[in-house]
Amino acid sequence: MLRPRDTPTRECTPLNGLWRFAVDTDGVGRTDGWWRRALPGRREAPVPASYNDLFPDPAVHDHVGDVWYQKVVRVPSRWEDRRIVLRFDSATHRAVVWLDDTEVAAHEGGYTPFEADLTDLVEPGAEHRVTVVVDNTLTWQSIPPGYVEQTPDGPRQRYFHDFFNYAGLHRSVWLYTTPRTHIDDITVTTRLAGSTGTVDYRIHTVGDEEHEVRVVLRDADGTEVAQAAGPTGELTVEDVHPWRPGEGYLYQLRAELRGVGEELADVYELPVGVRTVAVEGSRFLINGEPFYFTGFGKHEDSPVRGKGHDDAFMVHDFALLEWLGANSFRTSHYPYAEEVLEYADRHGIVVIGETAAVGLNAELGATLAGAVFSTFSDDTVNAATQEVHRQAVQEMIERDKNHPSVVIWSIANEPESTTAASRSYFEPLVDHARRLDPSRPLGFANFMSATPDNDVVCDLFDVLMLNRYYGWYKDLADLAAAERHLEAELLAWTRKHDKPIIMTEYGADTIIGLRTIVPTPWTEGYQADVLAMYHRVFDRVEAVVGEQIWNFADFATAPGVLRVDGNKKGVFTRERRPKTSAWQLRSRWQEQR
Ligand code: GCB
């Protein structure tokens, strides 16, 4: 799915800023047809942002169900004869959209874009009312799953993942044009052979068939390096400048659609990084060279805006990664805003892209929601959930397939992976992901109690991604035992599978400013000791090809006795102040560069 862009044949206008906003406390908006007139009340909310922390009101913070956004939009009069599209980069977790009185789109899933073609409904030059209802409810059939408990005080949302259920319009909303006959999708994959690079492309067009596709590839200086014609083909680049970690070199692919008289019907420009990714035994190769991941599991999370995308936080976070010498992160636990992946492409940061399938695990349900259930059953995670999950995998791959920064697809975080039911659940999802993208390795982040002895799904995947908390949830304050147990487990994995291991989570909650002489959990010193212990072990186990600490920064969660105003495993606080471990990582990672 192509991101909206200004090109010689296309225009896009962001609809960000303040929208009218109403919380549908009584759940009457859909039956009362709130889209037909101005929303009730006087509230306004910024887009992009989560709505939960905007108002000093627990009823908004903990609302379960629908909220409404509305904006009156003038369609530029010069847009006559154009195809006009309304696009939401995300609506968490599902939405229905109306243009004036007409429903134009509905979408399930909170972290991928969706669109409505408004061409036949809008009058260029006129004003139109855009209304969106966004529902934050998590059910057994949503990704991520959850359930709503009816209590005497109203509904309470329960879920099995460890981050606050922020909701709303977290990313940009766009009104954009394309020509009626237009380029609808582009897929590129790249190869390297010595100093020659190849870009294989596939271009999907919609509309009049009497058009020809032309493709030109330019280097970063704008010099043409290859061209081709036809909807599929290859572009060969001699003396190629590969996309490399730490140096995000990009070519520009310009795809043109030309009519019979050579007139330009449509143009789309796509940044392309020429690189390869492969797994060979227990090595992870980028451009044929062993790659070692350093960095973090992150969250889209900041004060006041919650999960709303923010360019300032994005640039700052990337700058902090660079300051540390980190080369990668995982989009735990959902696909991030496209701006983030584009930035990673340009700056050579390596990304593990993850779906929002987090919490498909009864053991976590018991810990985080005090709920007793079987993970996979007709009444819990079932065939309908699997279909929503399949769709989530597909939408992530369709959106992010052209980003050179993305080198692994993670199709879930810490699901149950020790039962026959889990294997039947994951097998078709893995097949589907491989069909959609045979070029990238697959993984999932494996839960601590799934060990080499009881795991039944890791053989389906290319990379072992382990989340482990020795020294915290196990062996707390006994780092000697933690070190023995961690090393023993890693070696057991290497005996079972000849695959690369990335430690996708490890760490310890840490309150900034808390210091003791005797090693004590929650102190800055203890976090540094835990990380140092892991690093000693990683340096002894050859199959370990990556270390991604949990977490880059402290983040908001649902209340819990183990959570002090959120999860404090950040190397930075939520405001991005460094804890002691930041300097320790900086010296380790800068040296490894
Ligand atoms: C995990 C989860 C992550 C949690 C983390 C923790 O295993 O994947 O979402 O936040 O543990 O801190 O408990």
Side-chain angles (χ1 to χ4, degrees), residues 284-551:
F284 193 92
L285 306 177
I286 298 184
N287 301 338
E289 288 167 20
F291 179 70
Y292 190 91
F293 296 74
T294 57
F296 299 92
K298 285 185 96 263
H299 263 300
E300 292 187 309
D301 178 89
S302 61
V304 185
R305 340 184 136 249
K307 295 207 167 305
H309 173 72
D310 182 301
D311 279 340
F313 268 98
M314 177 183 77
V315 169
H316 189 50
D317 284 3
F318 274 98
L320 291 176
L321 290 176
E322 194 188 337
W323 179 79
L324 288 168
N327 62 21
S328 68
F329 64 90
R330 174 171 60 123
T331 72
S332 42
H333 296 308
Y334 34 81
Y336 289 1
E338 282 166 274
E339 288 88 338
V340 176
L341 297 182
E342 289 182 344
Y343 198 94
D345 289 344
R346 289 194 298 273
H347 294 268
I349 293 289
V350 171
V351 175
I352 300 177
E354 185 161 277
T355 66
V358 49
L360 285 70
N361 191 322
E363 205 177 322
L364 283 168
T367 317
L368 289 167
V372 178
F373 57 87
S374 306
T375 308
F376 301 102
S377 79
D378 288 348
D379 303 327
T380 54
V381 175
N382 61 20
T385 321
Q386 189 190 33
E387 174 52 27
V388 176
H389 192 164
R390 195 192 61 78
Q391 183 69 21
V393 170
Q394 179 163 332
E395 289 185 19
M396 171 179 75
I397 294 178
E398 285 175 347
R399 192 194 72 165
D400 297 340
K401 61 190 172 187
N402 294 326
H403 289 288
S405 56
V406 178
V407 301
I408 296 175
W409 301 120
S410 167
I411 71 170
N413 182 71
E414 299 193 347
E416 178 176 303
S417 57
T418 54
T419 53
S422 57
R423 190 169 176 95
S424 334
Y425 181 89
F426 279 106
E427 236 171 349
L429 294 179
V430 169
D431 288 348
H432 190 61
R434 286 203 194 282
R435 261 196 309 278
L436 291 169
D437 183 4
S439 80
R440 283 182 181 83
L442 295 180
F444 75 99
N446 164 299
F447 182 47
M448 183 127 186
S449 53
T451 65
D453 295 334
N454 61 13
D455 160 79
V456 297
V457 305
C458 280
D459 62 298
L460 301 171
F461 294 84
D462 307 298
V463 182
L464 294 173
M465 296 175 16
L466 306 180
N467 295 354
R468 291 297 180 268
Y469 287 95
Y470 293 106
W472 191 253
Y473 297 123
K474 267 190 194 162
D475 301 326
L476 182 76
D478 187 353
L479 293 188
E483 185 161 351
R484 278 196 308 278
H485 293 150
L486 171 64
E487 186 158 8
E489 191 192 341
L490 289 176
L491 292 174
W493 281 109
T494 62
R495 284 191 296 273
K496 185 158 176 199
H497 296 288
D498 181 25
K499 293 182 197 287
I501 298 175
I502 303 171
M503 189 62 68
T504 34
E505 286 186 23
Y506 61 106
D509 282 271
T510 305
I511 302 292
I512 195 167
L514 194 60
R515 299 204 176 113
T516 53
I517 300 275
V518 174
T520 306
W522 294 92
T523 60
E524 292 195 40
Y526 189 77
Q527 181 184 44
D529 289 348
V530 168
L531 300 182
M533 180 276 284
Y534 273 82
H535 296 157
R536 280 196 299 276
V537 176
F538 297 162
D539 293 346
R540 294 197 292 261
V541 180
E542 220 183 312
V544 173
V545 302
E547 50 193 59
Q548 292 189 332
I549 292 160
W550 192 255
N551 188 285

Side-chain angles (χ1 to χ4, degrees), residues 197-199 201 214-219 222-229 234-238 251-254:
T198 308
V199 178
Y201 72 86
R214 304 264 178 83
V215 180
V216 174
L217 194 71
R218 292 199 165 78
D219 67 15
T223 308
E224 185 178 317
V225 293
Q227 52 168 291
E234 56 176 61
L235 298 151
T236 306
V237 190
E238 302 300 344
Y251 291 85
Q252 283 289 330
L253 182 148
R254 178 180 160 108

Side-chain angles (χ1 to χ4, degrees), residues 137-188:
T137 311
L138 297 174
T139 72
W140 287 112
Q141 277 66 57
S142 63
I143 292 293
Y147 66 89
V148 175
E149 189 180 326
Q150 298 302 336
T151 77
D153 311 310
R156 294 278 181 269
Q157 177 73 63
R158 308 290 180 211
Y159 44 93
F160 330 119
H161 55 267
D162 183 37
F163 54 94
F164 186 75
N165 187 34
Y166 280 117
L169 296 178
H170 288 152
R171 299 177 188 162
S172 294
V173 182
W174 305 89
L175 202 57
Y176 75 95
T177 70
T178 74
R180 292 186 186 228
T181 294
H182 61 276
I183 295 163
D184 177 55
D185 196 19
I186 303 179
T187 308
V188 294

Side-chain angles (χ1 to χ4, degrees), residues 243-265:
W243 186 95
R244 289 194 193 96
E247 188 218 6
Y249 189 93
L250 295 173
Y251 291 85
Q252 283 289 330
L253 182 148
R254 178 180 160 108
E256 293 179 359
L257 209 52
R258 293 219 172 238
V260 271
E262 282 292 298
E263 74 282 1
L264 191 60

